[in-house]
Amino acid sequence: PREVFIVIHLDGQNRPLGYDVASVGCSDAALVIPKDVIRPLLYSGAEGCIVLHNHPSGKSAPSPEDIRTTRRLREVLDLCGLKLRDHIIIGDAEYTSLASEGLL
């Protein structure tokens, strides 16, 4: 019933190295602090990441805040030499890829 924001660590060939939970929120939001995303990526030696979170409402459409957070996170990751490959939002029986939607 709560939003969970997960970061999948990727190597230089976009293969998963591992993952971590960056934030656990409430029923309609999860606070994402860039340093909580970046620190584990740097320690793992990742080259990039995919981030994902769920929408307890069941709808996977990105909110304006999801889009703002994604763009801010991409900018910060770029400054650190890391690539944000996608942000996936998971609903009940659907998902939305912000990369596929052109929103990265």
Side-chain angles (χ1 to χ4, degrees), residues 28-60:
D28 63 350
L31 179 62
V32 179
I33 300 170
K35 71 177 181 176
D36 293 336
V37 172
I38 293 167
R39 184 181 301 121
L41 289 168
L42 294 173
Y43 286 135
S44 74
E47 297 289 327
C49 67
I50 296 171
V51 297
L52 57 102
H53 78 281
N54 64 310
H55 277 177
S57 69
K59 302 296 181 190
S60 66

Side-chain angles (χ1 to χ4, degrees), residues 5-22:
F5 194 90
I6 296 172
V7 181
I8 300 172
H9 304 223
L10 301 174
D11 68 11
Q13 297 176 342
N14 294 324
R15 294 178 300 209
L17 296 170
Y19 75 94
D20 63 276
V21 176

Side-chain angles (χ1 to χ4, degrees), residues 57-86:
S57 69
K59 302 296 181 190
S60 66
S63 69
E65 183 59 27
D66 290 334
I67 295 167
R68 279 191 298 273
T69 298
T70 301
R71 289 181 177 158
R72 188 179 99 209
L73 190 55
R74 185 195 67 222
E75 291 170 3
V76 173
L77 287 165
D78 282 348
L79 288 171
C80 295
L82 299 165
K83 297 293 180 191
L84 178 59
R85 298 295 181 195
D86 205 348

